[in-house]
Amino acid sequence: REMKDYSFSPDSGWLAYSETQPNGMRALFIYGVSSHSDHQVTTSWFDNSNPVFSGNGKYLYFVSARHQNPAFSSNEFNVANMKPDGLYVTTLQAGTTSPFAPRQASATGNGKDGGNGKNKGPVHVKIDFDGIASRIIPLPVPDANYQWMAAGKTGVIYLLRAPLVSVPGHGSMAGTLVTFDLKSKKSKDLLHGITQFALSSNGSHMLYQQGGGWFISSTSAPGLESPDKLSMSDMKVFVN
């Protein structure tokens, strides 16, 4: 089967992915590389997608269409759910403190990072699958249509928010790059007109497509200022 939204854990021991169920909704699964076993993380009551491990191996973030924001069509006399998606997180171990539990320390419970930060030593991911679905909580981001997500460094999550008008030939298909900070619990728009993006393995740089060009920028620059535009003049495509 083809998997389009998947993520390896920091130690490459686990693979999180979504799979379409008989009711047409996607459920999330985690595959153990060494054990060759599949574990279902969510039910198929809602459409779940884009699972991403945090850099410290403690959390799994994902997008889920659990919100109801209906809009009525005067042409078809029908109701459409315009902004169904929200951002969710579950702790991978039962004893890990929730990112939004009341505390004075940071979201990891140790005051060292905000949930995505890289540990100084090698990360070894352990997962308690019993009760993992009951540990899912929503994150405070606005309801929207989210097409893609990536976990950066220092507790930052990047999301690609799609426009409401996304029918080919009717309006722009480009979206808005959004960032959510676990420490401040706030989200903000970074860039508009974004078609797709990808982070480097350490989260220090981002590659994104804007308009007809591709750009690379340091994620430490607020707003991703002063990006380097990639030259495509020497690119060649070989067709067999």
Side-chain angles (χ1 to χ4, degrees):
R1 57 182 181 265
E2 183 180 7
M3 292 188 296
K4 294 183 178 180
D5 52 339
Y6 57 88
S7 170
F8 275 100
S9 61
D11 61 355
S12 300
W14 306 91
L15 177 68
Y17 65 95
S18 71
E19 184 177 39
T20 303
Q21 301 302 291
N23 65 351
M25 299 292 186
R26 288 172 292 179
L28 299 185
F29 294 81
I30 295 180
Y31 174 78
V33 175
S34 60
S35 63
H36 304 288
S37 58
D38 261 330
H39 304 270
Q40 188 166 347
V41 177
T42 67
T43 67
S44 58
W45 282 102
F46 305 99
D47 192 50
N48 307 283
S49 62
N50 293 286
V52 175
F53 289 93
S54 63
N56 57 18
K58 294 183 178 181
Y59 306 101
L60 182 73
Y61 305 104
F62 63 96
V63 174
S64 186
R66 306 188 180 195
H67 300 292
Q68 299 297 322
N69 293 289
F72 183 75
S73 171
S74 60
N75 294 324
E76 297 180 349
F77 300 101
N78 203 347
V79 173
N81 192 8
M82 300 297 291
K83 297 185 290 184
D85 295 335
L87 180 59
Y88 292 80
V89 62
T90 184
T91 56
L92 296 177
Q93 287 192 281
T96 300
T97 305
S98 170
F100 289 94
R103 69 170 72 73
Q104 294 181 349
S106 67
T108 59
N110 57 19
K112 293 183 179 180
D113 61 63
N116 290 340
K118 309 296 182 182
N119 292 350
K120 292 183 178 180
V123 176
H124 182 61
V125 179
K126 296 181 180 180
I127 303 177
D128 295 326
F129 288 102
D130 290 340
I132 190 171
S134 65
R135 302 195 294 269
I136 296 173
I137 61 170
L139 297 183
V141 298
D143 302 350
N145 296 326
Y146 293 114
Q147 291 183 325
W148 195 250
M149 178 175 63
K153 59 182 181 178
T154 62
V156 177
I157 301 171
Y158 296 93
L159 299 146
L160 182 59
R161 186 181 66 228
L164 292 181
V165 180
S166 58
V167 179
H170 297 273
S172 173
M173 298 289 289
T176 300
L177 182 65
V178 181
T179 181
F180 174 76
D181 186 275
L182 281 168
K183 186 176 181 179
S184 66
K185 301 178 178 61
K186 294 181 179 180
S187 62
K188 66 177 181 179
D189 294 353
L190 284 181
L191 295 171
H192 299 281
I194 304 300
T195 306
Q196 52 188 316
F197 75 94
L199 286 175
S200 60
S201 60
N202 61 1
S204 64
H205 288 79
M206 178 182 291
L207 170 69
Y208 61 89
Q209 184 181 19
Q210 186 178 42
W214 288 88
F215 302 86
I216 294 179
S217 176
S218 171
T219 55
S220 61
L224 304 178
E225 291 98 345
S226 304
D228 295 322
K229 186 174 182 179
L230 295 183
S231 174
M232 302 296 182
S233 58
D234 296 327
M235 179 175 286
K236 298 179 181 179
V237 177
F238 296 90
V239 180
N240 187 350

